[in-house]
């Protein structure tokens, strides 16, 4: 049987490890695309994660949107990562991704590959074909 102080130290150590793992798997924050053209802010939206464009090197409108009434809106503030739910795999979420370059919404995945790297993929054909890129956390 553990002595009370040993048990307290063990519990504190377990809490610290669990807390560090939770922080390491936190996708919330600001991310920049590899080409540096945009920054995306990932936040909680209810029980999901969502992400919106917060900076564009070359600001422009959402001209490829299939909804003609949205083509004149600025892309700044547009939610491009939508309703991401945990998949059961550590550090991975599944939801929808809006690609402003072609105006289409895809099934998407985000996955923390490290504390400062987030892989985003958009998929078609039920996830058979996926294309993605790795974003870097903005400090």
């Amino acid at each position: 049987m553990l002595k009370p102080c040993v048990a307290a130290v063990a519990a504190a150590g377990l809490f610290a490890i669990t807390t560090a793992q939770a922080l390491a798997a936190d996708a919330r924050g600001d991310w920049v695309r590899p080409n540096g053209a945009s920054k995306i802010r990932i936040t909680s939206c209810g029980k999901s994660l969502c992400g919106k464009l917060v900076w564009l090197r070359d600001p422009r409108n959402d001209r490829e949107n299939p909804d003609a009434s949205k083509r004149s809106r600025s892309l700044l503030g547009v939610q491009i990562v939508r309703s991401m739910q945990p998949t059961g795999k550590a550090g991975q979420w599944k939801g929808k991704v809006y690609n402003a370059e072609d105006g289409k919404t895809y099934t998407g995945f985000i996955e923390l590959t490290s504390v400062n790297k987030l892989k985003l993929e958009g998929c078609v054909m039920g996830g058979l074909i996926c294309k993605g890129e790795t974003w870097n956390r903005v400090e």
Side-chain angles (χ1 to χ4, degrees):
M1 182 164 189
L2 293 175
K3 293 182 180 180
C5 67
V6 173
V9 169
L14 180 60
F15 176 76
I17 290 168
T18 304
T19 302
Q21 289 171 340
L23 290 175
D26 191 356
R28 292 174 295 177
D30 289 353
W31 300 89
V32 63
R33 291 184 62 197
N35 63 9
S38 60
K39 290 181 186 172
I40 300 89
R41 181 166 294 144
I42 304 288
T43 60
S44 297
C45 52
K47 294 182 180 181
S48 302
L49 291 177
C50 298
K52 66 180 177 178
L53 288 166
V54 294
W55 178 85
L56 290 167
R57 180 186 313 137
D58 301 313
R60 64 181 177 90
N61 291 340
D62 193 6
R63 61 182 171 252
E64 301 301 323
N65 196 304
D67 181 344
S69 70
K70 294 181 179 179
R71 291 180 189 155
S72 62
R73 73 177 177 175
S74 171
L75 279 173
L76 285 176
V78 169
Q79 191 176 83
I80 61 167
V81 176
R82 303 174 183 165
S83 306
M84 291 285 174
Q85 298 280 326
T87 64
K89 180 179 176 184
Q92 185 185 61
W93 297 262
K94 179 182 179 183
K96 298 289 181 185
V97 178
Y98 174 66
N99 182 355
E101 294 172 15
D102 66 9
K104 294 181 180 173
T105 300
Y106 298 93
T107 296
F109 292 89
I110 56 173
E111 181 176 359
L112 278 171
T113 57
S114 74
V115 174
N116 293 315
K117 302 268 185 202
L118 180 79
K119 183 178 178 183
L120 175 127
E121 290 185 313
C123 304
V124 295
M125 297 179 64
L128 292 176
I129 301 172
C130 298
K131 184 177 178 183
E133 61 186 18
T134 300
W135 297 347
N136 294 302
R137 190 180 296 272
V138 177
E139 297 296 324

